[in-house]
Amino acid sequence: MSRKKCQNTNISFGGRLRLFRESMGLGVKPFSKLIGISHASLSQTENNKTTTSAQTISNLVQNTNINIYWLCTGEGEMIRGDEKDLLYNKGEDEDPEIADLLSRTVEILKSDTDHSVSLTANIRSLHHAIRTEKKISELKTEVDHIKQIIKSRVGAIETKLKKSEEIRKEDSPEEKEKFLLKRAM
């Protein structure tokens, strides 16, 4: 995939969809499975013989890194947001083992087999599980913080109550009665 902006509004929606699919290195059959339509429907969409349903566009956005604005208008980047940085961020300090695994993964994803669809689904599931685990961890941290605040406030209230009781013990019976009547009002 090219990092530069794809500023070609002369290409149709179907043409841009085909361009994106080909840039992913996927054939019609695995790509159609990925976005939840038949390969015949995908072919018709790419050839501008039919329109795309909202559900198909939703599946496309959910299951790929396509920039929907680019798909609809031809303006901007083909790949959305931070995901393009992940694709192209190959620095000098890259781990060779990770590079090898990424290379093998790309080979599988580019193959026109059921393995590519299966791998894509597994990667998306794992990514979702990791994001969910991170959110749960953040919530646990927030709950612990709230518990600390509550504990601190309860301690402050208990200290005030204890002080108040000590002061009342020193009061005469008449003063205690006045205090209780005042408190009741």
Side-chain angles (χ1 to χ4, degrees):
M1 281 181 255
S2 172
R3 249 197 112 149
K4 63 184 179 181
K5 291 185 178 184
C6 300
Q7 298 284 347
N8 193 340
T9 54
N10 296 331
I11 299 175
S12 66
F13 179 93
R16 285 188 294 273
L17 185 60
R18 175 182 287 129
L19 184 65
F20 176 74
R21 175 182 57 78
E22 290 171 349
S23 74
M24 289 181 64
L26 291 175
V28 173
K29 191 174 181 182
F31 190 71
S32 63
K33 283 183 183 179
L34 181 67
I35 62 174
I37 61 174
S38 70
H39 60 276
S41 294
L42 176 59
S43 181
Q44 288 179 343
T45 300
E46 287 183 348
N47 292 312
N48 298 306
K49 294 182 180 176
T50 186
T51 58
T52 306
S53 72
Q55 182 61 50
T56 300
I57 291 176
S58 174
N59 291 344
L60 184 63
V61 170
Q62 208 170 22
N63 297 324
T64 70
N65 57 358
I66 193 167
N67 177 347
I68 195 68
Y69 182 74
W70 172 83
L71 178 64
C72 293
T73 67
E75 297 176 4
E77 303 263 351
M78 181 188 295
I79 306 297
R80 66 175 178 249
D82 297 336
E83 295 178 28
K84 69 176 182 293
D85 296 331
L86 295 174
L87 291 173
Y88 298 104
N89 190 12
K90 295 183 179 177
E92 297 169 12
D93 58 342
E94 185 176 293
D95 185 337
E97 186 176 347
I98 292 174
D100 181 54
L101 289 171
L102 286 173
S103 174
R104 291 171 190 241
T105 302
V106 168
E107 281 180 40
I108 294 170
L109 291 173
K110 286 184 176 182
S111 70
D112 194 15
T113 65
D114 290 340
H115 298 297
S116 65
V117 175
S118 177
L119 180 59
T120 300
N122 286 331
I123 290 170
R124 294 197 185 287
S125 293
L126 179 60
H127 185 256
H128 177 72
I130 290 168
R131 279 193 347 233
T132 302
E133 185 177 323
K134 184 179 176 185
K135 285 179 185 177
I136 289 171
S137 177
E138 289 170 356
L139 288 173
K140 283 181 179 178
T141 302
E142 191 174 332
V143 166
D144 289 343
H145 180 69
I146 291 170
K147 283 180 180 178
Q148 289 289 53
I149 291 171
I150 291 171
K151 193 175 184 180
S152 171
R153 288 186 180 165
V154 166
I157 291 170
E158 286 175 344
T159 302
K160 284 183 181 179
L161 183 60
K162 193 174 183 181
K163 259 187 181 177
S164 174
E165 288 173 355
E166 287 173 6
I167 292 171
R168 294 292 114 201
K169 286 179 185 175
E170 296 171 1
D171 288 348
S172 67
E174 295 86 25
E175 289 174 325
K176 285 182 183 179
E177 191 174 327
K178 283 180 186 177
F179 175 75
L180 291 173
L181 286 172
K182 190 176 181 182
R183 194 181 205 183
M185 290 182 183

